[in-house]
Amino acid sequence: MKALICIGHVPDTTSKIKFTDNDTKFDTTDIKYIIGPYEELALTRLLDLRDAGNEMHITTVTVGLQDTEPTIRKALAMGADDAVRVNAEPLDDYYVAKQIAEVFKNGDYDFIVTGKESIDHNGSRLDGMIAEFLDLPSISGASKFDIDNGKIKAEQEIEGGTLVLDVSGKFVISAGKGFCPEPEPRIPNMRGIMTARKKPLQVTEPAEAEALTETVKYHLPEPKPACKMIDPENPEELVKLLHEEAKVI
Amino acid sequence: MAVLIYTQNYDGKFKKSVFELVTYGKSVADMLGTDVVAVTTGNIDDNTAKELGKYGASKIVKITNSELNDFSAQAYASAIEQVAKNTDAEVIVFGNNPHGRAIAPRLSVKLTAGFVAGAVALPSSTSPFTVRKRVYSGKAFADVLIKTDKKIISLNQNSYKTEENPVDAGVEEFTAEIPANAYAVKPVEVIKSGGKLSVTDAEILVSGGRGLKGPENWGMIEEMAEILGAGTSCSRPVSDLGWRPHSEHVGQTGKVVAPNLYIAVGISGAIQHLAGVNGSKVMVCINTDPDAPFFEAADYGIIGDAFEVVPKLNEAFKKFKAEN
Ligand SMILES: Cc1cc2nc3c(=O)[nH]c(=O)nc-3n(C[C@H](O)[C@H](O)[C@H](O)COP(=O)(O)OP(=O)(O)OC[C@H]3O[C@@H](n4cnc5c(N)ncnc54)[C@H](O)[C@@H]3O)c2cc1C
């Protein structure tokens, strides 16, 4: 089986978010980048399935400039076999999805995995867009992903329940909660890091595509007024404030 | 021209979040000087469908294909595309929920319509068309310009208040053409999650963290939820440890919620936890540690031992509920 997995290069979850250029650009000063948490879960799951004896070749794909390579190398150090980087600024989801669809067309992959949501611009659209470009089925926010005797098993969360899916042919799937049932973080060891340096990282130029959206300005949330402290001996006070002041009960 | 809204029904009924979408769509339609068309699928009787008229939908299109009883993003996107074309929809609105997440991106490619996922407000202008959305897990907001003629927005739940705006709504039936390959991935079973209030639907959430020490101590959390008509949620370690089901996990890697009231008991307030709850209107933190980071994000706080504070607070809530 050949898997193509999208690896996003995103600010560490603890990053302090700031903007520059009159609040039109993300300020990258002092920002540490990581693999998107959902994508890391997804990759961990693929590696677990491979370790469990399922034959699988794992290729990562990232749309980004050269500064994304340390993140890509980390995915290789975790255990992915090789990587493709599309040498372009990820302009918007539509543009990125188009690039990934092209990479898929140019290989003989069986399926594409993405994370359910990117934590930077909080999109959750890549899976559906890629699938539509390729006219393939999409499974958004999969809560289960398994291989049983070479057959893929998947489940998808919908409101009020879970769909158990019969999967055949090529498809695009995005990893939600549950995709990787027991996520043991795969911290690359020295050997992993050394071999990752020698794994193939192919750089390709982007396909012709345009972005349909553009961020024109960022805003930080209004600073919150200080927390009102309530005497633990007097919980009636809290009830009163929630009713009269906050008007939420 | 029209503003088209995907109004999902559950076994023939609409949830409050759908009325939020219709109200939102009505406001967008007013900005554009056009009408609201709602589209829905499955078995829904006309009187229920017409409820959407109360919030401003002047037409409801019922897609009648029985294939759509099984969910497929491909089939749904294709059917909605046909309705969008027939109604000449300029803006299409979805909820930022599982159906919206599955369908809207496909439609964006079909119609070459720029898509903003997770909008939190009305467009600040319609020419140019700019919408504000949540980014960096709620640590910031972005104004996103949609450059195409057709636009798709998915609206975050609980970010727009329902408002009645009654119009006389007509119901139309429509049979869509479903592409032959739409069910290559086919649902074979639906596992219902039961009658419990889901964390994303709850208007009040009572949430417990590792500070509660063990699953046996959740009685008082469930009691509070019961008194308030609230749902229950938890931090990640709590679901990882198996104290609570995974469906209750909120945060960066769990569900993102935006209730009116979020009561956090024994949760430290790690940045990844707050990322999933910082859209809540009002937050309360109950924690023994005065330096717990949650107090910086909370509106109201009680420094104290949950095992003493919560039972007393439950009594106070009970008394309040009895009187109100
Ligand atoms: C990539 C990544 C993603 C993550 N995603 C998530 C996520 O989605 N959701 C999430 O929740 N976490 C997430 N985490 C984990 C997060 O960093 C924290 O570890 C976690 O939220 C802590 O959970 P907690 O507050 O329940 O436990 P703790 O941090 O252990 O806090 C327990 C709190 O309870 C208080 N306490 C103890 N006893 C009492 C008492 N008797 N009465 C009252 N208070 C008491 C303590 O003072 C403390 O503040 C993520 C981490 C990473 C690295």
Side-chain angles (χ1 to χ4, degrees), chain A residues 13 37, chain B residues 209-211 213 235-238 249-254 266-270 272-273 286-289 292 304-307:
Chain A
T13 51
Chain B
R210 196 151 50 181
K213 314 280 190 288
S235 67
R236 178 162 103 174
V238 166
H249 161 196
V250 295
Q252 185 121 46
T253 45
I267 299 178
S268 57
Q272 299 91 354
H273 182 84
I286 300 172
N287 200 305
T288 40
D289 175 7
D305 183 342
F307 296 97

Side-chain angles (χ1 to χ4, degrees), chain B residues 31-89:
Chain B
M31 293 173 81
L32 293 166
T34 181
D35 291 328
V36 175
V37 178
V39 55
T40 193
T41 62
N43 285 326
I44 181 158
D45 65 60
D46 284 6
N47 281 335
T48 313
K50 280 186 181 167
E51 272 177 42
L52 301 178
K54 239 198 314 196
Y55 301 91
S58 46
K59 185 158 88 180
I60 293 111
V61 179
K62 278 205 310 197
I63 307 179
T64 52
N65 302 62
S66 59
E67 298 97 306
L68 298 183
N69 293 342
D70 284 330
F71 184 72
S72 143
Q74 265 166 307
Y76 272 64
S78 175
I80 296 168
E81 178 195 21
Q82 292 160 48
V83 176
K85 289 202 163 141
N86 292 343
T87 51
D88 192 20

Side-chain angles (χ1 to χ4, degrees), chain A residues 230-231 233-242, chain B residues 312-313 315-317 319:
Chain A
I230 289 129
D231 177 2
E233 293 306 319
N234 188 11
E236 288 81 11
E237 176 67 13
L238 176 62
V239 176
K240 191 168 159 232
L241 286 167
L242 290 176
Chain B
K312 279 191 215 152
L313 184 58
E315 286 312 310
F317 277 136
K319 197 160 147 258

